[in-house]
Amino acid sequence: MTSSQQTPDPHGHSHGHSHSHGPAAPVSQHLRKVIAAVLIPFATAVVVGLAVLWPGGAPAHERTGVGFDRQTQQGEVVKIEKVDCKDVNAAQVPPTGDTTTPEGRKAQRAQTGDCVKATVEVKTGKDKGRRFVEVVQPDAPRQFHVKQRVVVAYAPDAPRDLQYSVTDVDRTVPMAVLAGIFALAVILVGRLRGLMALIALVISFAVLTLFILPAILQGSNPLIVAIVGASAIMLIALYLCHGLTARTSVAVLGTLISLLLIGLLGSLFIGWASLTGNTDDNTGLIHGLFPEIDMSGLLLAGVIIGSLGVLDDVTVTQTSAVWELRQADPTMGPRALYRAGIRIGRDHIASVVNTLVLAYAGAALPLLLLFTIAESSVGTVATSELVAEEIVRTLVGSIGLVASVPVTTALAALVVSADRPGSPEGAGPQAASGGPSKASSGGPFGGLRTRGGGGRRRKA
């Protein structure tokens, strides 16, 4: 990291402060010990939880061939030819001849149009090189072209000619390019901090895919798994991105308190509203394959994990705001710091809550369209389980976010204003002229450097 401040000393050295947010405000050694006394046992408990609940991989099961639970391979469209839909029996008008229904009209259009017969070659698996034909109707939402990469499903129990079928388009290349552009933008703008954020993102996905998901499938309590996994992600991401400092530790404490509140509220209202968590084909398939999974607990686990990312942003921002306010005016006491910090937090609350609501509304837009088509009342829509799940998810997460602002701001104001000027741990004249102070020493919560003379020595 680059040095954010250098203070010359009489010996010709400069003291570089490498805190990622600028020079860190002083913190008394007593408070450092208090923070460590809280967070070290918590981190130890998270490590023990990971060790006890570690699943060792997802459990094996026989594939049902339904939905996502199918064997899939990669394929490529090698030939395209147009044919008359009648010749391939692409669709038939209902036996009654009724074309007034949407299904009947669709079938009639398919019979009078030109269909596409796509020859697809399997590119992976034991049947690599095998070809099959996929007929695409003219009004199908997905049309094929030669050399297009596709995902094909394999049904071993079907007749040979029907064992393979196209289920989706292979989007590996565009998704990889987009991810590369994202990573490049983050590193160019964020530099070392951006690189650390990307590493933290990879670790977060690793915890999710190697621990949280397999542990739930193995039958562990989804809520406990989510709490342990989310805590591990929080500790790794925050300390990796923002450094092992008191500032980050305060953000961790604020995030932890808010997550506990979200867990309590989520558990209460999911139970009170009788939300089962089994509301669509995917959750139904999960319940059918693994009936021992607590689906309502899975819903609550999703609420906790989904809230974590936004919580991190809010708590880090609030902590940094209080730290910078203290740096700008060292005479500000905890009450003044809290009032100034909470004014910043109110703007953050307004934008974050709106972001959450719109994010969930966007994800549920097709569902909301269906309710609109059905001309259901607002009350009926809001209390249906499909929508109620999203409402509970949004409101519980938002309450946790709102609570995180005053909690984190108060913690940061108390911690940053706790140093005693003139003491060996403070930033008074003694610390400024006496070289490294106790508050700038290493340790698990090091980086708590005085403004005058802590930190590592290095030649100018």
Side-chain angles (χ1 to χ4, degrees):
M1 293 184 182
T2 59
S3 174
S4 58
Q5 180 177 345
Q6 291 185 349
T7 305
D9 67 7
H11 303 289
H13 297 85
S14 64
H15 297 165
H17 297 189
S18 58
H19 196 289
S20 55
H21 292 285
V27 178
S28 69
Q29 182 144 351
H30 173 69
L31 267 178
R32 283 195 296 141
K33 291 180 179 179
V34 171
I35 293 173
V38 174
L39 289 182
I40 288 179
F42 169 66
T44 303
V46 171
V47 173
V48 172
L50 288 171
V52 172
L53 297 173
W54 194 264
H61 73 281
E62 288 190 15
R63 293 186 180 270
T64 62
V66 177
F68 288 104
D69 193 39
R70 291 180 286 186
Q71 298 181 40
T72 58
Q73 302 292 345
Q74 302 300 311
E76 181 180 331
V77 178
V78 294
K79 184 180 178 182
I80 291 288
E81 57 181 319
K82 289 188 176 182
V83 295
D84 193 318
C85 290
K86 291 182 179 180
D87 295 339
V88 292
N89 294 320
Q92 294 182 354
V93 177
T96 59
D98 184 8
T99 58
T100 60
T101 63
E103 293 82 3
R105 289 193 295 270
K106 180 179 178 181
Q108 188 178 45
R109 286 196 302 270
Q111 278 196 333
T112 57
D114 288 331
C115 290
V116 169
K117 188 163 69 171
T119 302
V120 181
E121 182 177 317
V122 180
K123 291 295 185 179
T124 59
K126 63 182 182 66
D127 290 330
K128 181 178 179 181
R130 180 171 164 183
R131 296 187 176 188
F132 65 95
V133 173
E134 185 87 6
V135 176
V136 183
Q137 296 182 12
D139 58 349
R142 182 168 57 228
Q143 300 292 325
F144 298 131
H145 57 81
V146 176
K147 294 186 178 181
Q148 183 175 20
R149 305 288 294 188
V150 293
V151 178
V152 298
Y154 174 61
D157 297 331
R160 178 175 174 80
D161 292 342
L162 302 177
Q163 286 182 332
Y164 282 97
S165 60
V166 177
T167 61
D168 206 349
V169 173
D170 185 357
R171 302 179 179 89
T172 303
V173 173
M175 298 296 286
V177 171
L178 181 59
I181 295 173
F182 165 73
L184 182 62
V186 169
I187 293 174
L188 287 177
V189 176
R191 298 187 180 181
L192 183 58
R193 176 69 63 79
L195 178 60
M196 291 297 102
L198 290 177
I199 294 173
L201 180 62
V202 172
I203 295 175
S204 298
F205 272 107
V207 173
L208 180 65
T209 57
L210 299 179
F211 171 70
I212 295 177
L213 300 180
I216 292 175
L217 291 178
Q218 291 281 11
S220 299
N221 186 295
L223 177 58
I224 296 177
V225 171
I227 291 174
V228 173
S231 299
I233 291 172
M234 174 184 67
L235 290 171
I236 294 170
L238 287 179
Y239 283 118
L240 187 61
C241 292
H242 304 287
L244 208 61
T245 64
R247 183 186 301 197
T248 309
S249 299
V250 171
V252 169
L253 286 173
T255 304
L256 176 60
I257 294 171
S258 303
L259 278 179
L260 291 175
L261 176 61
I262 289 172
L264 290 173
L265 287 176
S267 180
L268 171 63
F269 283 95
I270 287 174
W272 192 4
S274 300
L275 299 177
T276 64
N278 189 1
T279 54
D280 57 26
D281 293 340
N282 293 327
T283 53
L285 179 59
I286 293 171
H287 184 64
L289 293 173
F290 300 95
E292 67 279 3
I293 293 179
D294 179 9
M295 299 303 292
S296 60
L298 186 63
L299 173 61
L300 179 56
V303 173
I304 293 174
I305 296 172
S307 302
L308 178 61
V310 187
L311 270 178
D312 287 351
D313 173 49
V314 172
T315 55
V316 169
T317 300
Q318 284 304 114
T319 306
S320 296
V322 173
W323 243 260
E324 296 304 326
L325 287 168
R326 173 71 171 184
Q327 289 297 96
D329 185 1
T331 63
M332 293 181 72
R335 182 172 297 180
L337 285 171
Y338 177 79
R339 288 175 177 172
I342 206 69
R343 285 195 294 270
I344 298 172
R346 290 190 184 107
D347 291 335
H348 207 176
I349 287 173
S351 61
V352 167
V353 170
N354 194 46
T355 299
L356 270 183
V357 172
L358 291 178
Y360 286 126
L365 199 57
L367 177 64
L368 297 178
L369 283 175
L370 288 178
F371 279 112
T372 303
I373 293 171
E375 298 182 354
S376 300
S377 66
V378 174
T380 301
V381 172
T383 56
S384 65
E385 184 167 6
L386 275 171
V387 177
E389 277 190 7
E390 300 303 325
I391 292 175
V392 169
R393 194 194 311 270
T394 302
L395 296 184
V396 167
S398 297
I399 291 171
L401 289 174
V402 170
S404 71
V405 172
V407 168
T408 308
T409 304
L411 286 173
L414 289 173
V415 170
V416 78
S417 60
D419 95 292
R420 297 179 288 277
S423 70
E425 296 139 352
Q430 296 176 3
S433 61
S437 66
K438 292 180 182 179
S440 65
S441 61
F445 297 96
L448 315 180
R449 305 174 179 89
T450 62
R451 290 183 293 122
R456 301 184 184 89
R457 291 175 178 266
R458 65 182 183 186
K459 295 183 179 180

